[in-house]
Amino acid sequence: MRDFARHQRDPKRHLIGLSVVVLLHIIVIYGLMTGLARRAVEVIKKPVSATIVEEIKKPPPPPPPPPKKIEPPKTPPPIKQTYVPPPDIPPPPQPVEPPPTITAVAPEPPKEPYVIAAPPPAVVAPPAPPKPAVRRGITRLSGDDPVYPREAIKAGVAKGRVVARLRIDEKGRVTDIEIIASNPPRVFDRAVRDALQDWKFQAEGEKYVGEVEINFTLKDE
């Protein structure tokens, strides 16, 4: 209670209230002097006009078009088929049977007794002639020719001849070389041996001895 009495006796509170009252009086006097109050009264006195807004009605939708009449498809009239009589078909001719044939059966002659002939005598081939011990004229299947020796060229030897005897195995390979004749002597022997050891002849399934002759000729290059 004491605080409330002190608050009521506070001079600041009275000053605020007086200042508010004075400010209101000043505003009223200013309004009278400037005619602002008259304008406000005139505005209040004017009649209030109210406008009624009518709702715009939409026009009714157009009536739907009349339904189209669907006419059923016209069917053509049925085609009248005229009666056509069938053609006259003559009956097939009847087959004429040939007259019966009479065959005469002759009696069979008596059969002769069957005789078995003796087989012909066997032909025995003559024995093959014996092969020669030394075959001449044999042909090589592979291998190179002998090379002309340089020593013979330097010595001026223009030609030569060598006869060699060869031992050939079952597969046609040369296993041994023997010089039988040489002209000039020993000039072409080494060249012949070097070439013949690589020669190969026809294989006969057995060993045999062959003989070959080699001729040398120096050609001018």
Side-chain angles (χ1 to χ4, degrees):
M1 292 296 289
R2 292 178 181 179
D3 293 336
F4 179 74
R6 289 178 183 179
H7 185 68
Q8 291 292 329
R9 293 175 185 176
D10 190 3
K12 291 181 181 181
R13 181 178 178 84
H14 293 288
L15 289 174
I16 292 170
L18 290 173
S19 60
V20 170
V21 172
V22 171
L23 182 61
L24 290 174
H25 281 81
I26 292 171
I27 291 171
V28 172
I29 294 169
Y30 179 76
L32 292 174
M33 290 177 67
T34 57
L36 182 62
R38 294 178 182 177
R39 293 178 184 177
V41 171
E42 290 178 359
V43 170
I44 293 172
K45 288 182 179 180
K46 287 183 179 182
V48 178
S49 61
T51 59
I52 300 171
V53 179
E54 294 182 358
E55 183 181 359
I56 300 172
K57 295 181 179 181
K58 294 181 180 181
K68 295 181 180 181
K69 294 182 180 181
I70 300 173
E71 296 181 358
K74 296 180 180 181
T75 56
I79 300 171
K80 294 181 180 181
Q81 296 181 356
T82 58
Y83 175 74
V84 179
D88 295 336
I89 301 173
Q94 296 182 356
V96 179
E97 295 182 358
T101 56
I102 300 171
T103 56
V105 179
E108 294 182 0
K111 294 181 180 180
E112 295 180 359
Y114 183 73
V115 179
I116 299 174
V123 179
V124 179
K131 295 181 180 180
V134 178
R135 303 181 190 179
R136 294 177 177 82
I138 57 177
T139 306
R140 63 175 171 176
L141 300 179
S142 63
D144 298 330
D145 294 333
V147 180
Y148 206 96
R150 293 183 179 179
E151 294 81 2
I153 297 174
K154 291 179 181 180
V157 179
K159 61 181 179 178
R161 173 178 172 273
V162 177
V163 178
R165 187 166 292 175
L166 312 175
R167 295 186 183 276
I168 302 170
D169 62 4
E170 299 86 348
K171 297 182 178 180
R173 295 175 298 187
V174 178
T175 58
D176 187 39
I177 303 170
E178 182 182 358
I179 304 298
I180 302 300
S182 179
N183 185 22
R186 296 183 299 276
V187 176
F188 300 98
D189 293 1
R190 184 176 179 181
V192 170
R193 288 180 182 275
D194 292 342
L196 292 180
Q197 65 183 359
D198 295 331
W199 282 19
K200 189 173 182 180
F201 298 89
Q202 182 67 36
E204 297 186 2
E206 60 180 0
K207 297 179 181 180
Y208 62 94
V209 179
E211 192 174 288
V212 294
E213 180 180 345
I214 301 174
N215 295 311
F216 291 87
T217 303
L218 181 62
K219 298 180 180 179
D220 296 333
E221 297 182 355

